[in-house]
Amino acid sequence: RGSAMSAQKLGAGVHTLLFDLDGTLYPIENGYEEKVRERVFEFMVDELKVPSIEQAKETWWEHFKVYNQTLRALRQGMGFEFDRDKYWSHVRGDPADFLQANFDALEMLRSFPGCKKFVLTNCAEKQAIEALQVLGLEGEFDGVYGADFMGDVCKPERAAFEAVCARAKIDPNGTVFFEDSVKNLVTAKEMGFTTVLVRGKTAAEEAGQNGGFKPDATISAVNLKELREALPGLFIGA
């Protein structure tokens, strides 16, 4: 009973829904992220002339831990220069090879016709929109903000969230943020967002790294049934 009351209070007054893409609007375990990662290492060897896949993996991880985005890790951390568009096209490939229409997410998004809805991803906008098209969700959002807009910052940096909030006129105190990476939710919670963890491989990999942080709600996937149970107050007036 106490849990339900807490969730209902958190959900009251919400006017905006903000979503991560990878691992949130589709399951991270479906192989797409793994393939993207493989393509990153191929790009490092073929285009950036790193001697081997093994060395690419080692150096990538060392810098990714610092920069939280592969593009920044390669450019800022490792000092490589290359065409951004060529990089994103290569590593993201064709999302239709792994993704398919997400009817559960579509049903959930359409349950809140009065809410503004945005995507915030560390991926480039062009490739993010291509993925949303395959998922059947592109037309459900008021905006997609990614690597091109954020420039030299990315999640989980506060500056990335602040830039998007300013551009999209998002008030964190009236916004629910859905994300599969706990470190990104930590920043969002500090700013006043209601935080929903989409439980999966990413959160498991980050276990123990975020000081026992607890999101406001946890779901296994973006769908109406689980969200109604996790944040019942969100549905008042929806």
Side-chain angles (χ1 to χ4, degrees):
R1 194 176 166 81
S3 172
M5 288 300 291
S6 175
Q8 192 161 352
K9 181 180 178 183
L10 288 168
V14 170
H15 48 67
T16 306
L17 304 179
L18 182 63
F19 295 83
D20 170 48
L21 172 61
D22 300 315
T24 297
L25 292 174
Y26 70 86
I28 203 73
E29 296 82 5
N30 72 359
Y32 187 38
E33 186 212 28
E34 185 177 347
K35 187 63 178 178
V36 169
R37 191 75 49 82
E38 287 179 9
R39 292 192 184 112
V40 166
F41 303 140
E42 292 170 1
F43 185 86
M44 292 173 70
V45 171
D46 296 342
E47 300 291 334
L48 307 181
K49 307 309 178 187
V50 175
S52 68
I53 293 291
E54 291 70 26
Q55 188 171 335
K57 291 179 180 179
E58 183 178 336
T59 53
W60 167 83
W61 178 238
E62 177 185 340
H63 291 89
F64 182 81
K65 288 187 293 185
V66 176
Y67 290 95
N68 297 296
Q69 182 199 58
T70 295
L71 180 71
R72 296 177 66 214
L74 295 178
R75 292 169 69 96
Q76 297 178 35
M78 301 170 69
F80 288 118
E81 292 292 334
F82 51 88
D83 184 85
R84 290 168 60 107
D85 292 338
K86 184 176 183 180
Y87 162 81
W88 283 116
S89 178
H90 178 88
V91 301
R92 296 293 294 196
D94 184 354
D97 290 341
F98 293 90
L99 306 183
Q100 58 187 3
N102 186 340
F103 296 109
D104 287 342
L106 181 64
E107 178 189 30
M108 177 263 175
L109 289 165
R110 290 185 172 175
S111 297
F112 300 96
C115 280
K116 290 284 189 179
K117 305 175 188 75
F118 299 96
V119 170
L120 173 56
T121 173
N122 284 344
C123 168
E125 284 85 341
K126 179 178 184 292
Q127 283 71 32
I129 290 169
E130 289 173 354
L132 290 171
Q133 289 171 340
V134 177
L135 292 166
L137 304 176
E138 184 206 0
E140 305 305 312
F141 294 99
D142 297 282
V144 177
Y145 295 94
D148 294 334
F149 172 77
M150 289 186 283
D152 291 333
V153 296
C154 70
K155 297 183 295 181
E157 295 169 56
R158 189 182 182 102
F161 286 91
E162 289 175 341
V164 171
C165 286
R167 174 63 65 86
K169 297 180 171 57
I170 292 173
D171 175 8
N173 292 306
T175 302
V176 181
F177 179 43
F178 298 80
E179 168 71 74
D180 69 318
S181 173
V182 177
K183 62 188 176 186
N184 296 337
L185 290 172
V186 170
T187 304
K189 182 67 174 176
E190 291 172 351
M191 294 178 65
F193 288 88
T194 295
T195 54
V196 178
L197 173 65
V198 181
R199 186 175 56 248
K201 187 176 73 171
T202 304
E205 290 174 348
E206 295 177 0
Q209 298 178 17
N210 297 287
F213 171 82
K214 299 292 185 185
D216 296 311
T218 300
I219 57 180
S220 67
V222 173
N223 64 73
L224 203 55
K225 180 177 183 295
E226 287 192 56
L227 188 61
R228 192 181 292 278
E229 293 172 354
L231 286 175
L234 193 60
F235 292 83
I236 296 175

